Amino acid sequence: MAKRKRLTTTIDSSLPPPKRKSTISSPPSQTIHLALGTYNRVLQGLNLAFNPLSTPPLTFQTVYLFNAHASSIRCLALSPPAGQGPARKRLLATGGSDERINLFSLGTQRPSLPPSTTSTLLPPLSSKNASHPANKALGTLTPHTAPITHLSFPTSSKLLSAGQDNRLALTRARDWTTLVTLKAPVPTAKGRPAGDTAAAGQGPSGVNAVAVHPSGRLGVSVGQAERCVRLWDLVRGVKAGVLAFERRVLARLGEGKWGGEGRGVAWGGEGEWWVGFDRGGIVFGEDCKPRWLVQPTPRTKVHKSRYITIPNPTKPSSDVISTTEPPTISVLALSTEDGRVLLYNTAQLPPNSGTDEPEPLLDPMYVLNTHGPRIKDFVYLEDATPPVFVTAGSEGGLQAWMLDLSQQGQVTNGTVIENGVTKESEVDGEDGASRRDFGVGVLMGEFDVGRRITCLEGFVMDDGDEEGDEDEDGSGEDDIDEDDLSGAEDEEGGESPSETSGEYHDAKEGGEEEWHGFSEREYP
């Protein structure tokens, strides 16, 4: 048998070593959709292509832009996702000063083509080129006879609205029938309350804000010229009670003789709930008793309040097993007139809990300094990787942030609070140049809308492989008993659907205006 010839391999040392496949997985690119309303009646939609490892990490693209109302847009609402795969969608409701509620369906799938890297160019304003094939205009609701002040989706199949006509309306998304209308009494005008927008010779009226308990069965609302909170039984469609604010508490918050009007309300994650005033607010416990008082320092006006979920800063490291500390906590976020976002941990009990001592003032847990004008609205997208915080200034500026909660101090207005001791923060860098101190915020990108922003909503788009609630019409599951709602009695504050169904106008019925960026097949 002949021997096999041994092969020899010569290695050239001048060549670079072969590249090894990295075992570190980078965060996938994501697309964030933002819908914003403006003072000059324009509804604008933006897609934010987000990749933390790219430079810049964010690129902006306008996907629709049109006059959605005859006057300013006051509020927006996005529903939870419904449907499956490519049919997965969300409902968008817009409310304006023209007493109308416009309804749209937004697709949640990421666009097949990446957005342009030029954020200042607008797409052609032609309805023939729909920005997303699933974007549709559904029609218009008119359940109110006055400007709309609040919109929200307690579930994917229910729309809750409120207006300056002192009415709350709960509408079913399947056929857009108003299930029940709740009437709040018109308050007696005493003087001119701060922020009152009533015409000369008329008294203030209207519901300022509404919040629904996570169970979907209880709602709370605050109204103009009222020093109280109204509780509503959403299952039976009746009034559940009235909770008046104590004068001593209002005095501590600086509410004057004609003040004390609730401007905002929100439910927390641990049963607590918040009522906001012009320059502060009250945190109530499950027993409806004041737990904390919140007042920004220095004193400034509060514009928007939301409860958001952030990583728990007291959670131990991953190598330590803990059964007591949750991975996330629910905190109250407030945007202010001087361009800050304050985060408060309202779930903790005060040190004087169970005593007769006055309610203590709650200090912020974290502060995000945008160093801009007033923040009219904001959204926190915890589904993004990493989570993204988007703030909207009233002058038209959008800013996207990541939260760095590992910082030792809380930064606010040139001072750092560490262990309860106030210190001066560094204003100049090593080269003597002024630097911007954002607190716990890491600025990722900015975009100038060029219009006065009034409200903002957003969500993270998916790849179409996630499943939502199954429903033939895509409206999701009903979490509230419709039979109980339809049986509400008028003397208890509710009206039957036949009496308060309002009007619903289908988009196919036509109109003079083109709503650009939405599918052409929805218009004549």
Side-chain angles (χ1 to χ4, degrees):
M1 178 182 291
K3 290 185 176 181
R4 289 184 301 175
K5 187 176 180 180
R6 179 176 297 178
L7 299 177
T8 60
T9 304
T10 303
I11 300 177
D12 189 354
S13 60
S14 63
L15 295 177
K19 294 183 178 180
R20 296 183 178 180
K21 187 177 181 180
S22 175
T23 58
I24 302 176
S25 60
S26 60
S29 60
Q30 305 163 82
T31 301
I32 298 171
H33 182 78
L34 297 178
L36 52 96
T38 63
Y39 186 79
N40 54 347
R41 69 179 182 165
V42 172
L43 177 66
Q44 184 168 356
L46 291 169
N47 278 352
L48 281 65
F50 172 46
N51 190 339
L53 301 183
S54 64
T55 303
L58 276 179
T59 55
F60 297 80
Q61 182 192 34
T62 298
V63 292
Y64 53 84
L65 179 71
F66 58 92
N67 293 329
H69 289 266
S71 54
S72 63
I73 301 176
R74 291 195 170 191
C75 50
L76 299 175
L78 270 175
S79 73
Q84 298 182 7
R88 188 175 167 91
K89 65 179 182 179
R90 289 176 183 262
L91 297 175
L92 172 66
T94 66
S97 301
D98 54 0
E99 307 173 6
R100 299 190 308 171
I101 300 175
N102 290 331
L103 304 168
F104 306 91
S105 175
L106 300 180
T108 63
Q109 267 193 306
R110 292 176 56 185
S112 57
L113 296 177
S116 171
T117 56
T118 303
S119 61
T120 57
L121 297 180
L122 299 179
L125 297 182
S126 173
S127 60
K128 296 182 180 180
N129 299 325
S131 60
H132 196 291
N135 288 358
K136 301 177 183 178
L138 302 179
T140 301
L141 282 174
T142 56
H144 299 277
T145 59
I148 310 301
T149 58
H150 172 86
L151 291 172
S152 63
F153 283 92
T155 67
S156 59
S157 61
K158 298 292 188 300
L159 172 63
L160 180 63
S161 60
Q164 286 189 351
D165 56 356
N166 279 76
R167 292 174 180 262
L168 287 77
L170 189 64
T171 305
R172 183 174 55 202
R174 179 176 297 130
D175 52 6
W176 301 113
T177 298
T178 302
L179 299 175
V180 65
T181 297
L182 303 173
K183 296 186 298 184
V186 178
T188 302
K190 297 180 180 179
R192 299 294 293 182
D196 178 28
T197 56
Q202 299 180 1
S205 65
V207 179
N208 287 334
V210 187
V212 179
H213 189 270
S215 66
R217 297 178 175 274
L218 177 66
V220 292
S221 68
V222 290
Q224 291 190 22
E226 288 191 319
R227 295 189 175 189
C228 65
V229 176
R230 297 192 178 275
L231 287 77
W232 306 93
D233 185 343
L234 298 182
V235 175
R236 296 188 299 153
V238 298
K239 292 180 288 187
V242 178
L243 178 64
F245 304 133
E246 299 183 35
R247 290 188 177 182
R248 61 173 184 85
V249 176
L250 295 178
R252 292 184 59 193
L253 292 174
E255 294 293 325
K257 182 178 180 180
W258 308 119
E261 173 185 309
R263 304 299 177 86
V265 62
W267 282 97
E270 299 296 331
E272 78 279 10
W273 50 287
W274 149 270
V275 176
F277 301 98
D278 191 43
R279 297 176 181 267
I282 308 173
V283 178
F284 291 89
E286 292 181 305
D287 55 359
C288 293
K289 294 182 179 180
R291 178 185 295 180
W292 293 99
L293 299 186
V294 174
Q295 192 172 52
T297 303
R299 290 191 61 189
T300 182
K301 184 176 181 178
V302 176
H303 284 281
K304 189 66 177 182
S305 58
R306 295 177 187 260
Y307 270 94
I308 64 175
T309 302
I310 64 172
N312 189 351
T314 62
K315 184 180 182 296
S317 58
S318 57
D319 56 346
V320 178
I321 300 178
S322 175
T323 59
T324 59
E325 293 293 341
T328 59
I329 58 173
S330 177
V331 298
L332 174 66
L334 305 179
S335 66
T336 63
E337 177 80 11
D338 56 6
R340 291 179 294 162
V341 177
L342 310 176
L343 305 182
Y344 296 87
N345 184 9
T346 60
Q348 58 183 333
L349 295 176
N352 60 349
S353 178
T355 65
D356 295 334
E357 298 181 13
E359 300 79 9
L361 285 173
L362 182 62
D363 293 327
M365 190 177 186
Y366 297 106
V367 178
L368 189 154
N369 257 338
T370 66
H371 290 268
R374 67 176 68 93
I375 300 177
K376 197 66 175 179
D377 205 345
F378 62 89
V379 291
Y380 181 67
L381 303 166
E382 58 185 275
D383 296 336
T385 307
V388 178
F389 207 111
V390 182
T391 59
S394 61
E395 87 295 347
L398 286 176
Q399 293 181 331
W401 307 81
M402 286 191 298
L403 297 184
D404 182 10
L405 305 182
S406 61
Q407 297 194 28
Q408 297 296 324
Q410 305 164 359
V411 183
T412 169
N413 284 8
T415 61
V416 178
I417 305 174
E418 292 183 0
N419 300 324
V421 180
T422 302
K423 304 177 181 179
E424 293 297 325
S425 65
E426 298 180 5
V427 179
D428 298 330
E430 296 179 356
D431 55 355
S434 176
R435 67 178 180 87
R436 302 171 71 183
D437 198 347
F438 294 129
V440 297
V442 178
L443 183 62
M444 296 188 301
E446 298 179 276
F447 183 81
D448 187 10
V449 176
R451 300 171 183 84
R452 294 175 58 186
I453 300 175
T454 56
C455 45
L456 174 69
E457 289 289 349
F459 64 93
V460 180
M461 305 188 77
D462 53 55
D463 296 324
D465 54 354
E466 299 180 10
E467 295 185 357
D469 298 333
E470 284 192 59
D471 201 347
E472 294 180 358
D473 60 354
S475 61
E477 298 290 339
D478 290 344
D479 294 340
I480 303 175
D481 192 344
E482 297 173 10
D483 295 335
D484 291 339
L485 284 170
S486 61
E489 298 179 0
D490 182 54
E491 61 268 19
E492 292 293 333
E495 297 179 354
S496 64
S498 59
E499 296 174 327
T500 62
S501 58
E503 295 183 4
Y504 169 67
H505 304 281
D506 196 295
K508 297 180 181 179
E509 295 178 2
E512 297 181 358
E513 297 183 359
E514 282 189 341
W515 291 356
H516 307 293
F518 286 83
S519 176
E520 181 189 18
R521 62 177 177 270
E522 292 301 314
Y523 300 91

